[in-house]
Amino acid sequence: EDQLRDLCGPEQRLLNRLYEGLVGGQRASLAESITLVETQHPRKKELAQVLLQRVLAYRKQQESQNGGKPVAFRIGLTGPPGAGKSSFIEVVGKMLTARGHKVSVLAVDPSSCTTGGSLLGDKTRMTELSRDMNAYIRPSPASGTLGGVTRTTNEAIVLCEGAGYDIVLVETVGVGQSEFAVADMVDMFVLLIPPAGGDELQGIKRGIIERADLVVVTKSDGDLVVPARRIQAEYTSALKLLRRQSKSWNPKVMRASSQTHQGIPEVWAAMRSYQDAMLASGELQGRRRAQHKVWMWSLIQENVLLHFQNHPGVRGALPQLEEKVTKGAISPGLAADLLLNTFLSS
């Protein structure tokens, strides 16, 4: 409220308009709010935080009416390129909207950091779902770092839930650290794998398989049914060797086909039974509380690094030290110490 009083008239009107529209379920207000959250402009960042605070308060009120249980279900989806993530999301999304759910799809693509934004790929690949009035698809922001992308995605999840979307799907391209970042912002983490031949288990990091609550072998139709069954058996035995993450849920391996829709309702039923089991044991609420802490620390790291890079002393010394390090004149460790001393001394 204090922050609201500090805002000038037009800013207050903007925030009120966005908040009213968002809570009323208007897609245009949701899109505008997420754009506000993604901005790098310092003043707009402050406005975004005020808006988020209001949406969080509204969501807390909804949860207390729901017996303290989360209103929305957040599902993270990952898998190697070619696993059929978009087709799977479209088929599941269409099925859920037909059952009366509101579905939002957020894409986390840190590779867009190098190219500057995803080229609307998600919307063109999910043509049916993007036309559905009960679905909302948002491609990844062109933010410079994975930290930036995860911050805005975390905040976009909150806004989508505020706008009445009860199922939030977060998709990530299976590269680098993005899967771990997504696993830290969802209730359930699903790994999609294609029924390829050869060393399938080699290509996917053990850590990702350990984090998966459900593994779905996609494209299980036609000639691929036999290899899909084989991979299902391989992953089932592989999961038995890994330690369980949760006391109330055993990770499952299932087969599904986005083309014939076979296995899709069963996959959703498994997701639902996971949600019920985790809510009943209180683990899901605990997981969300722990994720808030992870989110806070990632914000601290991102902002500290930004202050460090913008520090006048550091900016002055950086080019010379970088050159010395690349030439091998001084060790990277010494250069880092010198820069940190410059940063801390003033």
Side-chain angles (χ1 to χ4, degrees):
E1 285 177 7
D2 293 342
Q3 284 176 309
L4 263 176
R5 277 198 292 273
D6 292 342
L7 304 177
C8 63
E11 288 175 336
Q12 277 195 12
R13 284 195 293 277
L14 169 72
L15 284 186
N16 287 336
R17 179 176 64 77
L18 286 178
Y19 177 73
E20 296 301 333
L22 188 79
V23 173
Q26 291 175 15
R27 285 160 63 129
S29 297
L30 173 60
E32 205 179 328
S33 302
I34 295 179
T35 305
L36 185 68
V37 155
E38 286 172 2
T39 183
Q40 297 298 319
H41 187 280
R43 182 61 181 163
K44 285 185 178 170
K45 263 186 173 176
E46 287 175 24
L47 291 182
Q49 289 309 317
V50 177
L51 177 65
L52 270 168
Q53 206 54 49
R54 286 184 73 178
V55 175
L56 278 167
Y58 169 72
R59 212 186 62 188
K60 213 170 176 58
Q61 184 188 336
Q62 279 185 314
E63 281 181 11
S64 62
Q65 288 168 357
N66 193 35
K69 290 180 178 176
V71 183
F73 186 27
R74 307 168 180 174
I75 305 166
L77 296 144
T78 188
K85 289 188 290 292
S86 298
S87 311
F88 179 82
I89 289 171
E90 178 156 69
V91 172
V92 171
K94 286 297 289 178
M95 181 185 78
L96 294 176
T97 54
R99 291 184 184 186
H101 292 283
K102 284 187 79 181
V103 181
S104 63
V105 181
L106 303 169
V108 175
D109 181 7
S111 62
S112 69
C113 305
T114 47
T115 53
S118 49
L119 294 167
L120 292 173
D122 311 297
K123 288 204 175 176
T124 51
R125 288 195 315 240
M126 302 181 204
T127 42
E128 286 293 310
L129 195 60
S130 56
R131 286 203 294 265
D132 194 316
M133 287 315 289
N134 285 321
Y136 175 76
I137 299 174
R138 181 84 181 189
S140 184
S143 157
T145 61
L146 174 61
V149 174
T150 50
R151 174 182 64 83
T152 52
T153 306
N154 258 315
E155 293 172 354
I157 290 173
V158 171
L159 294 172
C160 286
E161 291 178 359
Y165 289 87
D166 59 333
I167 292 163
V168 182
L169 302 174
V170 186
E171 176 200 6
T172 175
V173 183
V175 284
Q177 293 298 309
S178 61
E179 302 95 331
F180 298 107
V182 167
D184 278 329
M185 57 175 97
V186 293
D187 303 325
M188 183 179 199
F189 191 52
V190 181
L191 173 63
L192 302 179
I193 43 171
D199 303 334
E200 303 81 10
L201 284 165
Q202 301 300 323
I204 296 164
K205 289 196 203 105
R206 176 190 164 138
I208 295 158
I209 302 170
E210 274 181 345
R211 295 295 294 268
D213 300 303
L214 181 68
V215 178
V216 180
V217 184
T218 56
K219 305 182 183 181
S220 176
D221 50 59
D223 298 342
L224 293 173
V225 170
V226 176
R229 279 198 184 127
R230 196 189 78 242
I231 290 204
Q232 184 183 17
E234 280 179 18
Y235 269 80
T236 305
S237 54
L239 282 172
K240 282 177 188 160
L241 301 173
L242 302 175
R243 59 191 170 81
R244 279 168 60 182
Q245 273 192 298
S246 157
K247 292 184 182 73
S248 41
W249 176 258
N250 275 328
K252 291 180 169 58
V253 185
M254 305 180 80
R255 284 180 299 117
S257 163
S258 303
Q259 205 171 2
T260 64
H261 295 201
Q262 211 173 352
I264 297 285
E266 289 81 353
V267 167
W268 174 244
M271 290 176 176
R272 265 290 190 231
S273 61
Y274 168 86
Q275 187 190 17
D276 294 340
M278 294 293 274
L279 278 172
S281 68
E283 274 184 71
L284 196 139
Q285 296 92 318
R287 198 182 228 196
R288 284 206 180 181
R289 285 194 290 270
Q291 285 171 356
H292 277 134
K293 212 158 92 175
V294 171
W295 180 8
M296 182 188 80
W297 276 108
S298 67
L299 285 179
I300 291 171
Q301 285 171 339
E302 190 190 343
N303 286 322
V304 167
L305 189 62
L306 202 67
H307 282 299
F308 177 76
Q309 286 166 337
N310 291 332
H311 186 276
V314 171
R315 282 170 76 168
L318 196 58
Q320 283 178 313
L321 283 172
E322 276 183 339
E323 197 182 340
K324 282 181 181 172
V325 168
T326 46
K327 284 180 178 169
I330 61 169
S331 74
L334 177 61
D337 286 345
L338 290 169
L339 285 169
L340 282 167
N341 287 339
T342 309
F343 178 65
L344 295 168
S345 61
S346 56

